[in-house]
Amino acid sequence: VSFQVSFYDEEQQPSGEGLISVELGKTIDREMITIKYEGKEQNVRYLLVDTPETNHPQLGKQPFGQQAKERNQELMNSGQLEIEFDIGERIDKYGRLLPYIYIDGESVQEKLIEEGLARVGYVYPPNTKHLDQYEKAQERAKKSGPGIGSLEDYATARGFGSKK
């Protein structure tokens, strides 16, 4: 009888085409993590999503910000972490990597949007590969009404309002 013990290693097979297996450093916030990529720890900002703040300079703690942070942390600790880059810029002006994020082959961005904890935002073409899919998830969330969709005029094209 043999037992296979699996530890993270750089050779772990990706769950889908274009996906890169990476190691989680830590969960920073609602749509930011650090990962070990190309031999060093790097900051990551998820593409195409925006979540309410947990400590906004003017608005303070916004509705559903804490839930988004906790859900992101829960997702990050639930399976194999993978990233996917789009065809545009891979690094933002703050030096953060800009990938799509997956756990066990499932989109974290789409999950956060569907659960009403994020909106589609920060759309900078040509990094729009999954934009249609995320917008459909946002429409589903608005119809089912969880989270940010339950507050009238809260999630807007410019971000999140101050209404509670």
Side-chain angles (χ1 to χ4, degrees):
V1 178
S2 72
F3 295 96
Q4 183 174 354
V5 179
S6 144
F7 294 99
Y8 172 83
D9 67 63
E10 303 270 342
E11 304 305 312
Q12 194 168 18
Q13 291 302 306
S15 65
E17 190 178 330
L19 300 184
I20 303 162
S21 292
V22 294
E23 183 178 359
L24 178 68
K26 65 183 176 197
T27 306
I28 298 172
D29 212 341
R30 307 147 338 267
E31 75 273 310
M32 287 189 276
I33 58 175
T34 65
I35 61 170
K36 189 171 184 180
Y37 177 69
E38 294 185 338
K40 61 184 179 190
E41 191 155 304
Q42 300 193 42
N43 290 328
V44 171
R45 169 67 167 83
Y46 302 0
L47 273 176
L48 298 179
V49 294
D50 183 26
T51 57
E53 300 278 342
T54 53
N55 192 17
H56 190 280
Q58 287 83 36
L59 305 174
K61 192 174 191 175
Q62 294 182 300
F64 300 103
Q66 188 62 37
Q67 290 94 323
K69 181 179 182 174
E70 289 168 6
R71 182 63 172 134
N72 186 43
Q73 191 152 26
E74 186 181 299
L75 290 167
M76 288 302 107
N77 293 313
S78 68
Q80 179 185 349
L81 175 60
E82 297 167 303
I83 62 171
E84 174 190 30
F85 289 108
D86 209 328
I87 60 172
E89 292 296 320
R90 289 182 172 205
I91 297 176
D92 70 7
K93 64 184 178 185
Y94 305 107
R96 301 176 297 194
L97 293 176
L98 298 170
Y100 300 104
I101 308 296
Y102 297 87
I103 294 290
D104 293 337
E106 290 192 29
S107 169
V108 170
Q109 281 103 316
E110 188 171 359
K111 222 178 247 309
L112 291 172
I113 292 167
E114 271 183 343
E115 293 176 8
L117 298 173
R119 70 176 186 92
V120 173
Y122 298 102
V123 178
Y124 299 109
N127 281 342
T128 57
K129 180 178 181 178
H130 299 297
L131 182 59
D132 288 347
Q133 168 186 339
Y134 293 174
E135 286 177 336
K136 286 176 182 149
Q138 186 167 266
E139 286 308 309
R140 288 191 302 273
K142 281 180 185 173
K143 285 182 180 133
S144 61
I148 61 176
S150 68
L151 301 178
E152 191 176 343
D153 300 327
Y154 177 52
T156 70
R158 295 176 314 284
F160 297 95
S162 59
K163 293 182 181 177
K164 298 205 178 229

